[in-house]
Each structure stands twice: as C-alpha cells, then as structure tokens.
Amino acid sequence: MASLPGTPDQAERQRAMALHKSGAFAEAIAIYRQLLETGPDDFDLNHWLGMALLQSGQAAAALGSLQTATRLNAQSAAACCNLGIACDTLGRTDEAITAFDRAIALKPDFVEPYMRKAMALHRAQRLAEAIAAYDDALAKNNDAGLWNNKGVALREQGDATAALTAFDQAVKLQPTYADAWVNKGNARRDLQQWPPALADFDRALALQPQHAGALIAKSWALEESGDMAGALQIIDALLMRQAADGTLHLRRAEILRRLRQYDDALKSYTLAVQYRPQDPEVYLRWALFLAELERFDGAIAAYDMALSLDDRNADAHFGRAEALRQMNRLDEADDGYARAAALAPDRVFRSAEPQSAGGYYQRAEARRSLNRLQEALEDYDRAFDLDPDYPGLQGARLHLQMHLCDWRDYPTVHAMLDKLRAGLPVVQPFPLVGLPATAEDQLLAARLYTDKKYPLLPPVWTGEKYAHDKIRVAYLSADFHQHATAYLMAGLFEAHDRQGFEWTALSCGKDDQSPMRQRLTQAFDHFIDVRGMSDEAVARLIRAAEIDILVDLKGYTQNSRFGILTRRSAPLQVTYIGYPGTTASAAIDYAIADKRVVPDTVRPFFSEKMIYLPHSYQVNDSTRAIAPVPPSRETLGLPPEGIVFCSFNQSYKITPDIYDVWMRILDRVPGSVLWLLRMQDQAADNLRREAEKRGIAAARLVFAGHATLPDHLARLSQADLFLDNLPCNAHTTASDALWAGVPVLTCAGETFAGRVAASLLSAVDLPELITLSLAEYEEKAVALATDDVALRALRQKLAGHRETQPLFDTARSARHIEAGYREIHRRFHAGEIPDDVFIDAAI
C-alpha cells in the first residue's frame, strides 16, 4: 500500500527516488529495502528496488524484486520489460523473451521491449530471430542504433550485402555515428571492397580520431588488400599509446610474419605472450609461427602452454600433432590427431568454417604421412565434395588413389588438366609426374605452386664473389640415410675431387643410424645436420660458410626444404636428381640433365638453364653389393618355368593404360607372370581385381615383399625382363634392374620423368630396348619373351656393357658433374649470365 502524501514514508520515498535518479544506487537501495520492511507488497517499491539493483550491476538480486513486482501488478509493461532485462543479463534468454513478449502484449506501442527482445536474441546468437525482432522494433522506431545492430546480426549471419544496406540506413539517419561507419567498413571488407572500406574507416576516424575499433579495422583492411606497411604503421601508432596491449603486439607479430620479417615477428610474439600470459590463443598463434619456421621443439612447447590453459582446445592438439609429425614422432602425432578429432570431429584444424575443404585436406595430408591411406582418402573425398577446386586437392586425391591402384577417378585427369590450364592450382607439381600431363602442364603447375608456397624472399647472399682455393659445393637433402637417392649417389660423393673442391652435406632428414648414414658422414669434408634449424638459419649458415654452389637434391618431393633456396644463400643454386621436372623458380639457376631427358622439344618448358651431361644425368654407385646367392624362384613365389616379367616401381606409377598393355602381354605369352613390388594390401587387391577384369587370372600376379638392397638385387636375377612404366618411368629401380643384369624395356614419353629409362639404356648402349609407342613396346615385349635366343643374347650384352659403358662408371660421372660445376662457377666469376652448359664426354 502506498504512503499518504506528507507522511514520513512519502518523504523517504521521494528522497530514495532522487538518489536513484542521481545514480546514488547504494543509498537508494538501502532506503527502498527499509521501506519494504513495513510494506513488502508495495508494487512501486519492489519495482524501483529491482531497477536500482539492475542498474548497479546486481542482476541476480534484482530478479527477485522484479518477479515480485510483476506478481503484484501483472499489467505493468514497464515491470515486465525490466524483468526481461534482468533475465537477459543473467543469460536466461527464454525467460527474457517471455517477459518482453508480455510487455509488448500489454503495451504494443512501448518501443523498449521490442529493442530489448532483439538484443537478447542477438546475444544468444539466435540470429534469424534477432533480425526479425530488429525489424519489429524498426517498425515502431526508425532508429540508427537499431539499424546498426541489425547490420551486425546480418554480418554475423554471413550476409555482408544485406548488412551493408543496414549500416547505410544507420549512417543516413545519424551521419556522426562513428561505430556505424566502422561496421559499414567491415561489411565492405567482407565483400573485398577495399577502397570504399578504407573510406568508411577514415570517415569514422574523422569523427573520432582515436577510435581504436576504426584503427584496428583499418589495419585489417590494409593488410587484406596487400598494404602490409600501412597496416603495420597503424599498429605501431596504437602501440605508442598502449605499449602493454598484448592484442596489438599479436596483430603486429602476424603482420610481420606475413612480411617475412621473422626476427621482428618473433619479438612481437614474445611481447604478446608477456602481456597476455593467460590467453591460449596467443600461445597457439606463437606455436603456428614457430612451426612455420620449422622450429618444431619450440612450437610443441608453445602448444603445451596453450593446452595447460585450455586442455580441450582441438586446434592446439591438432597443431601439436602436426609438429610431432614433422619431427617423425608419428605415434605421438597419431595420439594428438585422435584427441583433436575426439574434441572436434569436424574441426581439427584452423579454419573459418567448421566443415571446410581445407580442414579435411589438412587431415588427409597428415593421415597420409602416417600411412593411414584409406582414412586419408576418405578425408580427401569429403574435402572434394565441399570444394573440388581447393588448391592442390584434386591432384593429391588422385595421387593417393593411384598409390592404392584405385582407378575409379582416373578418367577425371583430363578435366583436372583443363582446370590447371585455366590457371586453377588444382594439382601440385609432384602428382603430375605420374599422370599423362605435358611438360608445359608441369611448368604451369610448378609456377602456380612456387608463386604461392615459395615466393622469393630477401636474399641472404647479396652479390659477393668469393675467392677460395677450392670451389665450395654443398648438397642439400633429407635423404642422407637408407634411401634410394643415397644408394644412387653415395659413390659419387666418395669419388668427388678433393683437390679442386670442398664438399659439404646439409642433412635435413632423419638420422637412422644405418651403415649408409655412417658411410655418407665420412664421404664429405663437412656433414652438418640442419634438421632443427629454420630455413632462414640454414640459409645464413650457407652464407657464412661462403658456399659457391648449393645443390638441392629434393625439388618438390617429400621433406623438401625449398624455402632455404628462396632466400638465395649461395651465388649459384642447382637442382639435381630428386625431382624430375622444372621447379619454375627463379631461385634455381641450373638443373643437371642430359639431352635424352630434356631434349629440344621440351627445353622451353624449363625455367632453369641446363648442365647437360654427355651420357645419363643419373649417377650410379658401382660399388652396390649384390648378395652372392640369389633365392630360388620357388622361395620367391615364382613359377619354376615360364617368363617372369617384373616392374618394381611404386604403385602410383601404374596407370590403367600401361596395365592394359601388361595384361595383353601376359595374355600373349602363355605361362608368364608379372612380378610387382608389394606396397599396400589394398593396391595388390585392386591390381588382382583389375587383372581379372581383363581376362588374366589373379594368380599370374606375384608380389615381392621388402628386402635389403643386396638381397633385392640378387632376387632380381630371377626376372627375365623388366617392363617399364609410362608416363613415369622407373628411375632408381631401372638402374637396379640393369645393375642386376635384367634388361629393361621402356617406352620413351614426352616429359623428363617419362624419358629416364631411355637415358639409362642409352648410357649402357642398349638402344634396342627403347620404344617410341606403346604398340611397339607391346610387340617388343612379346617378341623377346617368345625368343629365348634373343633374350639370352640381350642379357649377355648387358652383362658385358655393365662394366664398360658409362652408366655405372661412377668416377667418370663424377668428373662430368664436376666439370659442370667448374663451368658455371667460371661463368659467374667472369660476369656471364647463366646459360646452358654442355659437358664434353672426353673429360
């Protein structure tokens, strides 16, 4: 019951209301409560107390008073609205909406509950309902703030175009509304309308020169439009005023990272961590940066800090697993991927979308490196369903299918090549090696890839000419262990001239503690393990050592460190043997080749100048041991009689086209078998099934398991004829077969990768085994297999040539390669620009 006018209670009411209006909430609340002790069912006092508590930030306490007020007077729209505000403040959205709807029903022209309802729905991220509620509010009051808030909701919903229209309405109604200008600029950012966005931010800054939101948003727009320097200038200006702002230091670090100013970026990440030590996002960003620099130990430590603050962070678990994978700690990596997937099955990567092609692509790449190929293929498929043109995806997916001899999508290769020719980076360079692509296609793929992934960086070497008694050559590789490249090249390294050259190995791969690793460490003047060093640090090491010629043995193959070459750490940079194609990078001056693998017809499709060796470009180690006693055919699972064709290439090189030819050969040579390398059980199963589709019994395929190199070379003697692949020939495996005395029948293709066996056969003087079409190849295979005398004569010829021809003359190959190094070194010191170099066979 209200007090009578002029009574002491009425005077206290008036004093409390005056205090309330003046913002003295604590004093007003005390008086309201005192008055309620004598009149607890007073609607006004309960309502006013609830409002004062709400305004002083005590929403939980306000809730009870406002509930009492609405019980005492259920027809008060104002009380219902205030009750809704209290519920909304406490996160009780449904109750808030009910209260606001009650207020609207009681007083349809009361604007505030319309606005409050929209804001409550917006805060709860019920965006479609919020937008509809903003429209209801705007129908009652054409207010700039409501248009601005509606625009924010539309932008959050992903409709930047509609959001822009809403912000236009807001600034039309209130041209001095700085926040609306900022939001309008952000909508234009979403639409990549950079100049208008920048103009909007400048309009906001003209109204409020110190508007932090406008400055930050402008820096984002400048960065996104490519003006990194402008973005950095704004952040630096803000840091002059807010030096301890960890968010600004993080922004500065991210911009410097994109500018590739890594040392300064590292300092800014460190300051971000210093000022935001309890924020897992800062550690996460820092870890990603360290991983990009290939400082994986530091990255893992940063991920650990992020996880100590938020153990349920899927991004951190996934990133940590990625770093472990790069360090070859695969079991630990697998655990991390599993934890990330358990926490966020559809988001185990850093991506704007919870189910994006990029995320599945990243997970597929990780699973492939862990040899979980079927799971990787499933992720590639999911990515492909979302975005078939995602960079690199179609090529990677098809390449993995080829590894599994799963040819369902092989017919799409031509459509993929059409997209590549249209300028879409749908395939990286290496998968093209095993597909029917032209040399021009390979050049285009390499250009698209290197422009994005390996742009040239500020050079570490800046033009000096070194004066050394010996030419200093460094070989960069991840394969200085038991690996095919090492088996080919170990003899070369040992045969190199120590009088005129100084030789360095830069090993960025694993140390497997094998005899080959020990052999290689002794083959160089300097053997340096650079695994734990960033690309920039390795480049500076090369510069400090004054290396004259840096020879990369990886190109665009697995575990490449091509980023070292983009920093130009040596006057001359050469690519050799690892990647059979052009790098399309200005970081590489020369490629080592021969006229058979790079004839004049494809020479225009190489960005590098050539060092043409006179025989085969591929060096071989003439000391490779062959086990003295070959296993019997029975032991190997081969039939005691009949022709044994073999092809020990990796399974991704087996295309349906070459397989058709092989099956026809088997059909035409009764009793013959095809001996293949067993890579994956699924690949073997698919090949058996494909054989039966072509009318060949699956039993005529025999699969060889893993063996040491001496044992493998010994068992090869049980094969009669090696059938080469096309479009990607056998490389090391062809040399192995020839070294073991097995003739290799090839069909020369167009590209470097498709002409390697022709190069080897020319260098061992067996040109009769080089065919120029698959029809000729098929007829030659059948003719040799059905003519014992001719096949025996061919094997005898190979046995004699193995000792006399250039292919397996390691010392001669070393002299020719060294002559190439001397010539390019001479040209450089004479001031001549790089040009093709031809090495004389007589050297």
Side-chain angles (χ1 to χ4, degrees), residues 147 150-152 154-155 159-168 184 187:
W147 278 112
K150 179 185 175 183
V152 172
L154 285 164
R155 183 167 176 249
D159 191 346
T161 301
L164 185 59
T165 299
F167 295 132
D168 275 334
K184 183 181 175 186

Side-chain angles (χ1 to χ4, degrees), residues 334 337-338 341 360-361 363-368 370-383 400 404 682:
D334 204 15
Y337 289 127
Y360 290 123
Y361 177 80
R363 191 165 69 181
E365 293 284 287
R367 285 174 164 172
R368 188 177 66 174
L370 294 167
N371 207 35
R372 292 163 55 182
L373 301 189
Q374 188 55 46
E375 292 173 88
L377 184 56
E378 290 168 5
D379 275 339
Y380 281 136
D381 287 344
R382 295 170 82 180
L400 180 54
L404 298 173
Q682 187 174 343

Side-chain angles (χ1 to χ4, degrees), residues 70-85:
T70 56
R71 177 177 55 79
L72 293 168
N73 183 0
Q75 302 305 307
S76 172
C80 288
C81 184
N82 287 325
L83 175 61
I85 295 171

